[in-house]
């Protein structure tokens, strides 16, 4: 019996690898089998047809005009499910367990809490006007919500499913996108051309960084030492030192710089440009653009797959997600989603979908 189980497990791993999306590494498989455990993943055919599987590697894409969220299966590149949301959903984030997702609904001034297994909204949480950027604390207990129409960051208690206070950035401030690293929350202000650095423990602004025109989706490097700011009005990617807020470099990209993803080795990045309808590959070591991909209508937000071999870009102008091969820097696929796609976020448990 034990021999048959080992043979079945081996066959499962082979079928997964042939399906183009390894659901666990060989090392993980050996450790699991040595411990006498059962299977942790499903064959790719099952993942392709069951959007609620926790082991499924997917992208969630909110669509503003259709008030829903498209679930894209990464191995097949197909939309395998949808979630009905409130008005004008913009961005989405996942809990570390991938069991919950949180979507900001701009026109209804709410955050939807989504059960990723049932693909149903379990609760609608009222927050400030026009919620947009989201960041979730590492312990999954606090969701930080930027509201474009006022000066506050709204805190949502995810367990209770209700607002649990605010962080006031001061009269005239406008909150847009968020990036959380340790106890520091980085908040872009697209109207006042600033990034606020907030200590989430004290709820106080500890540093204000003047930026280029219209800063958008800010990101922090993996080591927390650099802040990346796409400046839409200047068509640049700006890089700041997080300790003192000083500008280290500025890289020209297409007009309307919107979002950025940084490679794990810290040597390269890809910047989307909504108004410029483009995505620009940049060399962070030399501070120069490498190549720009055009004809990406309303290129908005971007996310890597797990291996960073592909970059997925939401195209608000064509209702698609463009898939770019990061080695050849060519568009290899276009996936039709809901009208006016906005944000995009990958759903993948650690150790699952390692080759996706």
């Amino acid at each position: 019996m034990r021999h048959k189980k080992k043979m079945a497990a081996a066959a499962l791993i082979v079928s997964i690898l042939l399906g183009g999306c390894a659901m666990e590494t060989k090392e993980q498989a050996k450790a699991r089998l040595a411990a006498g455990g059962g299977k942790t993943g499903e064959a790719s055919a099952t993942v392709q047809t069951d959007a609620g599987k926790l082991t499924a590697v997917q992208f969630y894409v909110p669509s503003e005009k259709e008030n829903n969220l498209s679930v894209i299966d990464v191995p097949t590149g197909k939309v395998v499910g949808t979630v009905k949301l409130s008005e004008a959903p913009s961005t989405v984030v996942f809990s570390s367990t991938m069991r919950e997702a949180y979507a900001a609904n701009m026109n209804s001034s709410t955050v939807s809490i989504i059960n990723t297994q049932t693909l149903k909204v379990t609760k609608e949480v009222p927050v400030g006007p026009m919620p947009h950027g989201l960041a979730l604390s590492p312990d999954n207990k606090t969701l930080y919500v930027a509201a474009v129409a006022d000066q506050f960051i709204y805190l949502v208690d995810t367990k209770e499913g209700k607002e649990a206070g605010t962080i006031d950035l001061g009269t005239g401030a406008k909150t847009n996108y968020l990036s959380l690293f340790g106890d520091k929350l980085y908040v872009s202000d697209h109207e006042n051309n600033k990034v606020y650095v907030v200590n989430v423990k004290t709820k106080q602004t500890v540093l204000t960084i003047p930026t280029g025109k219209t800063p958008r989706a800010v990101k922090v490097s993996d080591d927390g030492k650099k802040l990346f700011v796409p400046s839409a009005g200047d068509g640049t990617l700006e890089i700041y030192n997080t300790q003192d807020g000083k500008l280290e470099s500025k890289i020209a990209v297409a007009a309307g710089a919107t979002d950025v993803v940084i490679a794990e080795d810290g040597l390269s990045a890809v910047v989307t440009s909504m108004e410029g309808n483009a995505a620009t590959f940049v060399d962070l070591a030399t501070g120069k653009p490498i190549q720009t991909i055009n004809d990406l209508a309303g290129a908005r937000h971007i996310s890597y797959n797990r291996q960073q071999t592909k970059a997925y870009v939401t195209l608000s102008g064509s209702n698609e997600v463009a898939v770019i091969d990061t080695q050849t820097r060519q568009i290899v696929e276009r996936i039709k989603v809901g009208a006016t796609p906005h944000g995009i976020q990958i759903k993948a448990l650690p150790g699952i979908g390692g080759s996706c």
Side-chain angles (χ1 to χ4, degrees):
M1 180 63 72
R2 184 175 298 175
H3 178 70
K4 289 182 178 179
K5 285 184 178 180
K6 288 184 178 180
M7 291 294 290
L12 173 63
I13 293 170
V14 170
S15 68
I16 289 169
L17 290 171
L18 291 176
C21 180
M23 300 308 292
E24 62 182 350
T25 66
K26 291 181 180 179
E27 290 75 16
Q28 289 169 330
K30 287 179 181 178
R32 175 172 53 78
L33 291 172
K39 60 185 179 180
T40 60
E42 298 291 333
S44 60
T46 303
V47 173
Q48 292 166 12
T49 57
D50 192 343
K53 285 287 185 183
L54 282 177
T55 50
V57 183
Q58 302 163 332
F59 281 105
Y60 275 29
V61 180
S63 299
E64 284 185 37
K65 297 298 182 183
E66 293 185 3
N67 301 328
N68 67 18
L69 181 150
S70 299
V71 180
I72 298 173
D73 177 68
V74 173
T76 64
K78 296 183 182 300
V79 174
V80 294
T82 58
V83 181
K84 186 66 178 175
L85 299 175
S86 287
E87 296 178 62
S90 55
T91 56
V92 61
V93 296
F94 291 98
S95 66
S96 61
T97 65
M98 303 296 156
R99 293 178 180 272
E100 297 85 24
Y102 303 89
N105 304 302
M106 294 186 293
N107 290 355
S108 61
S109 298
T110 61
V111 170
S112 296
I113 301 177
I114 304 162
N115 182 315
T116 62
Q117 294 177 282
T118 64
L119 298 185
K120 300 291 184 182
V121 173
T122 59
K123 195 156 190 179
E124 201 87 2
V125 183
V127 289
M130 296 192 70
H132 193 208
L134 301 172
L136 186 63
S137 62
D139 62 8
N140 300 316
K141 293 180 179 179
T142 304
L143 180 70
Y144 299 93
V145 184
V148 176
D150 70 14
Q151 67 199 53
F152 299 99
I153 300 295
Y154 291 82
L155 281 58
V156 172
D157 182 322
T158 58
K159 183 178 181 181
E160 297 296 328
K162 64 181 182 181
E163 185 192 316
T166 60
I167 298 174
D168 188 353
L169 297 183
T171 303
K174 300 294 182 183
T175 66
N176 194 3
Y177 288 100
L178 305 175
S179 185
L180 180 65
F181 187 92
D183 60 2
K184 299 294 190 302
L185 184 67
Y186 297 81
V187 187
S188 64
D189 183 333
H190 60 296
E191 291 193 13
N192 297 297
N193 304 327
K194 299 176 181 177
V195 169
Y196 307 101
V197 185
V198 178
N199 185 310
V200 294
K201 293 180 179 179
T202 64
K203 299 183 181 179
Q204 299 296 314
T205 300
V206 295
L207 182 64
T208 299
I209 303 173
T211 67
K213 298 175 183 176
T214 320
R216 284 179 171 165
V218 295
K219 300 290 175 63
V220 180
S221 61
D222 288 344
D223 60 9
K225 295 180 179 180
K226 297 181 185 296
L227 175 69
F228 296 84
V229 181
S231 173
D234 291 335
T236 57
L237 174 66
E238 300 172 354
I239 304 171
Y240 294 87
N241 184 304
T242 56
Q243 291 299 311
D244 54 20
K246 291 184 178 180
L247 179 66
E248 294 188 347
S249 63
K250 184 182 293 189
I251 304 172
V253 295
T258 303
D259 197 2
V260 59
V261 286
I262 301 96
E264 287 182 355
D265 60 13
L267 298 178
S268 63
V270 189
V271 183
T272 56
S273 297
M274 185 169 66
E275 289 83 1
N277 304 314
T280 304
F281 285 77
V282 300
D283 186 325
L284 296 176
T286 64
K288 295 180 179 180
I290 303 170
Q291 181 179 333
T292 297
I293 299 174
N294 297 302
D295 300 320
L296 297 175
R300 210 160 195 171
H301 290 287
I302 183 168
S303 183
Y304 282 130
N305 65 346
R306 289 290 290 271
Q307 289 289 353
Q308 300 190 349
T309 56
K310 294 178 181 177
Y312 291 68
V313 180
T314 55
L315 306 182
S316 57
S318 64
N319 307 330
E320 297 171 307
V321 170
V323 185
I324 302 172
D325 185 305
T326 58
Q327 297 300 312
T328 64
R329 304 187 195 111
Q330 299 292 321
I331 300 171
V332 294
E333 190 175 5
R334 289 176 181 262
I335 304 168
K336 201 72 176 177
V337 291
T340 317
H342 196 130
I344 183 168
Q345 193 67 257
I346 191 169
K347 168 186 160 290
L349 284 168
I352 299 294
S355 67
C356 290

